Amino acid sequence: MKYQPPTEPVDIRVWQGDEENPFYPEGQREKLLLISPEKACPDFCVPQHRYLFKESFHRYKDQFWAEVLAYKVGCLMNKSVPPAFVAFNSETEVCGALIEWFYTSKSKYFSGGEVMTRMIPGFDREKGRQHNFETVEVYSSALSKQGIIQTDWLQYWAKTFVFDALIGNTDRHQDNWGWLTHRRKNLLKLLEGKE
């Protein structure tokens, strides 16, 4: 677990916005994609690495603490979760969680929404009412049979649901989970037999 001393909140005022996408488009809360500085980077952060700065809802100013606590609970459970730190912008006086980006440009991430859209005709990506675990099961089983998933995906999901219960997460919607791969082939097309 990466340790952030209580006396060292991260001031993101001089952190650069990500060139490709400075404002993260998903979700309802304000989010910024930032690149940590090469020099004067806190010891617990990775220099020149992408981070997500996630603010609280305006009605719940301390909501960002849930992200930081979720990281600590995940570490205690021996679950792989992205490090999350307390941060603020000294110019705007806004506090938030600073979350270490969990993949690099050498990886490809497929959100659950992409999978649901491919597998459920007429899937409403915005409302996500058809989002269900049976579709996750079908897709995961197919990838497992093709040897693409080599870990116990069912055990992974069981741990995810226990983790969600422990941290009080009710936000496991279709764009709040996904698959991360280092393969060059498109996992969505593999399932359809197109690659």
Side-chain angles (χ1 to χ4, degrees):
M1 175 169 32
K2 294 187 177 183
Y3 176 70
Q4 177 184 25
T7 56
E8 292 185 34
V10 181
D11 186 356
I12 60 154
R13 184 178 59 85
V14 297
W15 287 36
Q16 297 298 310
D18 184 87
E19 289 180 10
E20 294 176 22
N21 208 358
F23 296 98
Y24 191 67
E26 292 180 9
Q28 295 181 355
R29 288 192 274 165
E30 291 285 327
K31 299 180 191 84
L32 295 174
L33 278 176
L34 303 170
I35 304 297
S36 57
E38 188 173 2
K39 297 178 181 176
C41 185
D43 291 340
F44 47 87
C45 291
V46 180
Q48 293 288 283
H49 189 77
R50 184 184 276 178
Y51 283 81
L52 182 70
F53 180 68
K54 192 172 182 181
E55 297 178 20
S56 300
F57 274 125
H58 63 279
R59 291 179 302 217
Y60 310 108
K61 300 289 185 192
D62 55 355
Q63 185 184 30
F64 71 90
W65 280 102
E67 303 285 344
V68 177
L69 292 173
Y71 165 58
K72 294 185 182 296
V73 170
C75 290
L76 291 172
M77 289 179 63
N78 201 25
K79 180 147 181 58
S80 178
V81 290
F85 308 112
V86 177
F88 70 103
N89 185 323
S90 59
E91 185 176 328
T92 62
E93 298 184 351
V94 172
C95 294
L98 187 66
I99 304 165
E100 190 174 298
W101 205 248
F102 60 97
Y103 64 93
T104 66
S105 58
K106 294 179 182 177
S107 307
K108 176 66 178 156
Y109 176 74
F110 298 94
S111 73
E114 291 177 84
V115 174
M116 296 290 147
T117 301
R118 291 284 183 115
M119 295 190 67
I120 301 173
F123 182 78
D124 184 345
R125 185 82 181 257
E126 190 174 322
K127 294 184 180 173
R129 289 192 180 122
Q130 302 137 300
H131 180 225
N132 66 86
F133 189 71
E134 286 180 35
T135 303
V136 173
E137 203 172 358
V138 168
Y139 188 67
S140 300
S141 294
L143 293 179
S144 184
K145 285 177 187 170
Q146 292 183 36
I148 296 165
I149 296 178
Q150 297 176 349
T151 57
D152 186 342
W153 62 267
L154 197 53
Q155 184 181 39
Y156 171 83
W157 273 103
K159 286 181 181 179
T160 299
F161 292 143
V162 169
F163 176 66
D164 283 347
L166 286 172
I167 65 170
N169 182 25
T170 59
D171 197 30
R172 185 65 62 196
H173 56 75
Q174 71 274 359
D175 290 316
N176 227 347
W177 62 270
W179 278 273
L180 184 63
T181 180
H182 301 289
R183 297 171 66 103
R184 292 186 179 190
K185 291 188 175 183
N186 186 320
L187 294 185
L188 298 168
K189 290 181 180 175
L190 273 170
L191 183 61
E192 297 169 355
K194 293 181 180 176
E195 281 197 19

